[in-house]
Amino acid sequence: MTDGTEAAPAPETGRATGDGTSAGTPPAGTGRPAPVWPVRAVWLVTRAALLLCVFRVVTLPGPDVTSDVHVIYQGWSDVLRTGTFPLDDETWQYPPAAALPILSPLLLSEALLPGLDYPSAFFLLVCAVDAVVLALLLRAGRRTGGSRAGAWGWVAGVPLLGPTAYARYDLMVTAVAVAALLAAVRRPAVAGALAGFGAMLKVWPVLLLAGIGRGRPARRAVTAAAVTAAVLAAGFAAALPGAFDFLTYQRERGTEVESLGSLVFHVARHFGWEGQVLLHYGSVEFLGPYVNVVSDVALALTAAAFGWLLLWRLRARTWSAATPADAALTAVLLFTTTSRVISPQYLLWLVGLAAVCLTLRASRQRPAAVLVLVATGVTFLEFPLHFADVVGSTPTGIALLLVRNGLLVAACLTAALRLWRTTVPAPPAVPAA
């Protein structure tokens, strides 16, 4: 992607181009692309297993992950269809466009398949969106010479999270993010519009704009994102009362038991710390002495991550076709890992971005993508399988959190270092005296 144009990227020869961008590596071969049917076959088997779990044909140890859909989402849909947001519900902590995925099962259950209940419609819709993401990745893989790595990453990563992947609306948001990144190379305005729409679904997709190329592509992407978000915000604010009440509830969040900062209190409980673990603002959080201090440190780390991203943006000079995806994975990793809350479904965001990086041959984030996939599998172990151990701060629970959060920290450092090295020129060598 060159400055001021929307032309296709230069051939992937691994050398810098004259306008400050960098082409990627050449295709692995010129023979026939790898067959698609193994990817689709594994997708069908793994998604059938997920559907069996969310439809409660197969039950797993730990809490029922589908309760959010059966109780919370369905309750929100009942309120939203009356013409207002859930004004007095502290668990509604999402931007106004989140009403769309919450209401969408009603279209299926009432208009297309009458008699289908809300939870069933929700699970089937998520599965359909999952299939769309796979199709997007396979199509993008064909463009890059037949690579199936990104599709395989998605096929493996979603079931690694277990049934939680189908019991939250985050997979729908991730689909928008994947589409935005795949459009970023040739259509920055489309990518920006999708990022703006995604940000109105769950905020974090605004980070997709971090790696858009300089000049005209950046202006078009940012303008499209801002216009899309503004139109949606104005529309929802005019149509439904309480569109932005979620901002108040987000400010009240504490330190959630699966976050990086929570490890302080998991260990401290074994040394007499007198705090509690309670359901607070929709998640299981630590409450008690020094929790506000750890929460403030988490916010400071997030601010530091933003500062690093800004510095990188100012210093970066070499862009490739994969830089938007590489930067997006890095940014979302940094903000997720430093957050006061790391809910299991957040790993879906990272799986989607990692899959895009694996699809693009010019990407340098393959090690970080692998770490994300491993961290996703460990997340399934700590939630739901051993969530009682996590809440009880048992040695097993602490060990699982140490491993999962350690993998996320390692992925952050790996992604940030590789992004910096591939985009920021090295300082000139100082001549010997």
Side-chain angles (χ1 to χ4, degrees):
M1 178 165 51
T2 57
D3 193 20
T5 69
E6 289 187 76
E12 296 182 340
T13 60
R15 57 183 173 79
T17 60
D19 61 359
T21 64
S22 171
T25 55
T30 57
R32 295 178 61 186
V36 175
W37 70 263
V39 183
R40 291 174 175 166
V42 175
W43 184 89
L44 285 171
V45 172
T46 54
R47 276 37 179 194
L50 288 178
L51 288 173
L52 288 174
C53 290
V54 295
F55 278 106
R56 300 174 177 174
V57 176
V58 175
T59 57
L60 298 174
D64 177 14
V65 301
T66 67
S67 61
D68 277 27
V69 178
H70 284 271
V71 179
I72 298 177
Y73 287 8
Q74 188 164 1
W76 287 342
S77 71
D78 292 338
V79 174
L80 287 166
R81 68 193 304 178
T82 67
T84 182
F85 283 95
L87 299 178
D88 299 319
D89 188 346
E90 65 184 24
T91 62
W92 178 264
Q93 301 168 12
Y94 309 108
L100 299 178
I102 299 301
L103 288 170
S104 59
L106 297 176
L107 176 64
L108 183 60
S109 63
E110 297 181 2
L112 301 179
L113 293 173
L116 192 68
D117 62 17
Y118 179 94
S120 299
F122 182 89
F123 301 140
L124 292 176
L125 279 174
V126 172
C127 186
V129 173
D130 183 359
V132 170
V133 175
L134 177 63
L136 290 173
L137 292 169
L138 287 172
R139 182 171 180 266
R142 286 194 295 271
R143 287 180 173 177
T144 60
S147 171
R148 303 281 185 253
W152 278 115
W154 178 256
V155 168
V158 173
L160 279 175
L161 192 62
T164 303
Y166 274 20
R168 305 290 187 273
Y169 85 89
D170 294 79
L171 193 146
M172 300 177 181
V173 184
T174 303
V176 176
V178 168
L181 288 179
L182 293 177
V185 176
R186 292 177 173 83
R187 299 178 178 85
V190 173
L194 288 170
F197 175 50
M200 295 305 290
L201 288 170
K202 209 165 186 180
V203 180
W204 67 266
V206 73
L207 297 172
L208 304 179
L209 300 173
I212 299 293
R214 296 177 183 275
R216 187 184 179 193
R219 291 193 295 272
R220 297 192 69 178
V222 172
T223 300
V227 170
T228 301
V231 169
L232 286 171
F236 278 106
L240 301 174
F244 294 96
D245 284 5
F246 77 98
L247 295 171
T248 300
Y249 297 138
Q250 280 288 351
R251 288 197 299 266
E252 300 295 331
R253 297 298 294 265
T255 295
E256 188 254 355
V257 295
E258 296 167 88
S259 66
L260 184 63
S262 73
L263 287 166
V264 173
F265 302 110
H266 283 295
V267 174
R269 293 175 83 182
H270 292 271
F271 294 91
W273 181 70
E274 297 179 352
Q276 296 177 295
V277 176
L278 297 172
L279 185 64
H280 184 243
Y281 283 93
S283 67
V284 182
E285 299 180 355
F286 281 113
L287 300 175
Y290 307 109
V291 171
N292 61 327
V293 175
V294 172
S295 296
D296 289 344
V297 170
L299 290 173
L301 288 174
T302 300
F306 177 80
W308 182 89
L309 281 171
L310 180 60
L311 176 64
W312 166 78
R313 180 76 191 187
L314 294 173
R315 296 283 302 276
R317 293 294 181 272
T318 306
W319 254 260
S320 78
T323 300
D326 287 356
L329 177 60
T330 304
V332 177
L333 265 170
L334 289 170
F335 279 80
T336 299
T337 305
T338 60
S339 174
R340 296 170 293 172
V341 179
I342 306 181
S343 296
Q345 61 268 23
Y346 292 8
L347 274 293
L348 277 177
W349 315 345
L350 301 174
V351 167
L353 303 183
V356 175
C357 290
L358 290 171
T359 298
L360 303 175
R361 291 187 179 278
S363 174
R364 295 297 177 264
Q365 296 294 5
R366 285 173 176 79
V370 172
L371 288 170
V372 164
L373 294 176
V374 177
T376 303
V378 178
T379 300
F380 174 52
L381 295 178
E382 62 93 356
F383 183 91
L385 298 187
H386 291 280
F387 194 58
D389 289 298
V390 172
V391 173
S393 302
T394 69
T396 298
I398 294 175
L400 287 172
L401 284 181
L402 277 171
V403 173
R404 196 283 301 273
N405 291 343
L407 287 166
L408 288 179
V409 171
C412 282
L413 297 176
T414 300
L417 182 62
R418 294 177 75 87
L419 180 65
W420 187 276
R421 285 180 172 176
T422 55
T423 57
V424 177
V430 178

